Amino acid sequence: MPREAEFTLWSLRTYLRPHRRALAAAAAGMSLRAGVLLLIPWPLKFIIDSVLFRHPLPAWMAGWLPDPVLHRVALLDALAVIMIALGLLDMLLAIVGNRLLLVAGQRAVFELRRDLFAHLQRLSLAFHRRRRSGEVASRLNGDIQSLQNLVTTVGSGVFAHLLTLVGMVTIMLVIDWRYALIVLAAGPLLLWLMQRYSQRLKRALRQARNREGELSGLIQEIMTALPIVQAYGRHTHEDDRFGQHAGQSLEATIEASDLQNRFAPLVAGGIAMTTALATWYGAIQVLHGRITAGELLVFLAYLRGMAAPLRQFAKSAGVISKGQVAAERLGDIFHEAPEIRNRPGALRPERSRGAIRLENVSFAYREARPILHEIELDIAPGQTVALVGATGAGKSTLATLVPRLHDPVTGRVLLDGHDLRDLDLDYLRDQIALVLQEPLLLQGSVWENIAYGRDGATRDDAMAAARAAGIDDMIRSLPQGFDTPVGERGAGLSGGQRQCVSIARAMLRDAPVVLLDEPTSALDAFAERRVTAALQRLTQGRTTLIIAHRLATIADADVIVVLDGGRIVERGRHAELLQQNGAYAALWRDDSLARGAEVVPIQSNDIQRGSMPA
């Protein structure tokens, strides 16, 4: 993974280095091809000069080719065979060299994509909250595709063309440097045009890619919220939003395409004028006897050969600029460092006992808006602790500190006496199982979703975990049992079924600490009973931290902690807190009213709450 301050196209060398043997072989093949391309016009020169005009062959050729005076047809046949051989050799070297370059380049880009994905997974949740998922996906797809296109373009002849161009200029200067300077007169102008347009094109393409990324983020957002869009009849509003962003993307793309389309004709025009001037001057040189007709043919062939690379460079300008922009955008991602990472010498103790302690913990997503204030909390091994409070009180935020999804701003969170920041992240998270309000299932079979809870788990392990959670009969009642396919986000299963699969996954993990984030709040009464029974099996003998909206589900907790405004305002058992007739009692009364249960009057001063009860 790149560690440079700035990721650019040059940074790709890190990924190309492991393929240096293939690249060296490709470079050798392309160099040979460049030499072949330089030789291709010369048989024509000798056909014109020696076969047609009977000029003598150079001394070094006279010994192995027929005499142009005595054996003109034989010399013509020999030169024709040489032309065919050079053409076949050019074809073979092009095929082999291009394949070696393409395979090495595409594998390098594949490894870059793999590193980018791994880096994204390890970036802190704060980063992903700031970025739309669609925009991040555009880096993995669109920007990587731009680099793949760049590799394909370079591997399809740009390298060989560049070598050939250098060789042609060298030979022309050797034959007649005055003529060569005239042929090359348009070079500085073309280089200036290429640099000017490439800079403008790069800016335009950067704007276009940014607009495309924003559009991808908007599409992902709308598709994710489609049930709300349809339920509230907001189709027209979202059509307008999409149209506005798509229009901005279109304008940026048109600007970039227009620049690219203007560039190629300018290069072609410069080449055409240079060809006309070179032909005129070359003909005069032949008439004055300074060069032969065959040498003029070589010059014109080289000039035509130089035009092909220049046209190729003009066509490739957009691809290269897109690759540069893509590298910059990927650099933005690689520049982001994970906020949560291992310290040097991170500890990996034996299996945790499940003792959790929060010492003077404060936390804020943004510096000016603290969420938690000076939290002090001890959770003994095997103890069940429930977090309750109004919406926004900080319950879920506190729970995320335990698996170290965030680090506290001040204070410490300890597991078995070890500061979480001193523990190896993989070890820490192996000690914790999660069951969330919205079960997160992946595409695959039911058993594969259960097996996701432990690396290397088999189908039999998944079935055993389901039996341990007491839900195997429910899974066997599905159309294909444990092999029933699960769609995206658990499509095809009911809410209760998805939650049961999530519990079996946590059971398979066999972790000493279990975090339950409102696991039954979205279920009906029947599903809640089934899930609650499975949760009781899961949490037995394990340290459990549970967040609950329905207070009836946590009445048997060992300790109930009441949060208000990010502070612990009460703690104790259910009966004790009701007797105190404070914050918890008020929450219990509101919850009872919501469930339609009989409410026992509370004789105490009601607390003032500024948010809806959880």
Side-chain angles (χ1 to χ4, degrees), residues 495-516:
Q497 290 169 337
R498 291 197 300 271
Q499 196 61 283
C500 285
V501 171
S502 177
I503 293 169
R505 181 167 61 197
M507 182 69 79
L508 176 64
R509 193 163 186 80
D510 190 26
V513 178
V514 177
L515 299 183
L516 307 177

Side-chain angles (χ1 to χ4, degrees), residues 99-332:
R99 172 161 178 79
L100 288 171
L101 273 175
L102 287 173
V103 170
Q106 293 290 359
R107 285 179 176 169
V109 174
F110 162 76
E111 289 158 8
L112 170 62
R113 179 181 233 161
R114 186 178 57 189
D115 279 355
L116 178 64
F117 180 74
H119 184 67
L120 281 168
Q121 284 198 101
R122 286 157 180 78
L123 287 178
S124 308
L125 293 181
F127 167 83
H128 292 284
R129 286 195 180 98
R130 294 194 304 267
R131 302 286 186 111
R132 284 175 166 176
S133 57
E135 183 182 354
V136 171
S138 74
R139 310 291 173 106
L140 275 168
N141 297 318
D143 290 327
I144 291 292
Q145 183 63 52
S146 294
L147 290 180
Q148 288 176 331
N149 293 339
L150 173 65
V151 168
T152 301
T153 300
V154 172
S156 297
V158 171
F159 181 66
H161 281 314
L162 185 60
L163 290 175
T164 306
L165 194 62
V166 173
M168 287 177 177
V169 170
T170 303
I171 292 176
M172 285 193 293
L173 288 171
V174 170
I175 293 175
D176 188 324
W177 64 270
R178 297 177 184 85
Y179 191 14
L181 290 178
I182 290 176
V183 171
L184 301 174
L189 176 62
L190 291 176
L191 289 174
W192 177 77
L193 281 174
M194 290 175 68
Q195 181 172 1
R196 182 175 176 226
Y197 267 86
S198 63
Q199 291 174 348
R200 292 179 60 190
L201 187 59
K202 184 178 176 181
R203 287 194 296 268
L205 287 170
R206 185 187 297 113
Q207 179 72 5
R209 284 298 302 143
N210 289 337
R211 294 297 188 187
E212 288 173 18
E214 293 172 3
L215 184 61
S216 297
L218 178 66
I219 293 171
Q220 178 78 13
E221 178 183 310
I222 294 173
M223 292 298 104
T224 302
L226 199 56
I228 297 298
V229 173
Q230 293 182 350
Y232 283 88
R234 300 290 287 174
H235 312 85
T236 303
H237 171 74
E238 298 303 345
D239 289 345
D240 292 341
R241 272 216 304 164
F242 176 82
Q244 180 182 358
H245 282 75
Q248 292 172 348
S249 177
L250 175 63
E251 290 174 5
T253 303
I254 289 175
E255 181 183 356
S257 300
D258 182 53
L259 280 172
Q260 189 172 349
N261 290 336
R262 272 189 276 162
F263 180 44
L266 283 172
V267 173
I271 292 172
M273 289 186 290
T274 303
T275 302
L277 179 62
T279 304
W280 172 79
Y281 182 81
I284 291 178
Q285 295 292 88
V286 172
L287 292 175
H288 286 82
R290 295 190 182 98
I291 62 174
T292 67
E295 289 173 335
L296 172 62
L297 183 64
V298 170
F299 264 89
L300 294 179
Y302 279 177
L303 182 59
R304 182 179 179 184
M306 291 169 60
L310 289 172
R311 289 193 185 98
Q312 181 67 28
F313 295 153
K315 292 178 181 178
S316 303
V319 176
I320 295 171
S321 295
K322 285 181 180 178
Q324 292 175 321
V325 171
E328 289 177 2
R329 283 165 53 85
L330 296 182
D332 291 341

Side-chain angles (χ1 to χ4, degrees), residues 220 224 441-444 486-492 498:
Q220 178 78 13
T224 302
L441 303 187
L442 307 173
Q443 284 188 317
V486 178
E488 186 179 2
R489 300 176 65 86
R498 291 197 300 271

Side-chain angles (χ1 to χ4, degrees), residues 26 29-30 33 87-103 155-156:
M30 291 298 181
R33 187 190 174 206
L88 291 175
L89 186 58
D90 174 44
M91 177 184 70
L92 178 63
L93 290 172
I95 291 173
V96 174
N98 284 343
R99 172 161 178 79
L100 288 171
L101 273 175
L102 287 173
V103 170
S156 297

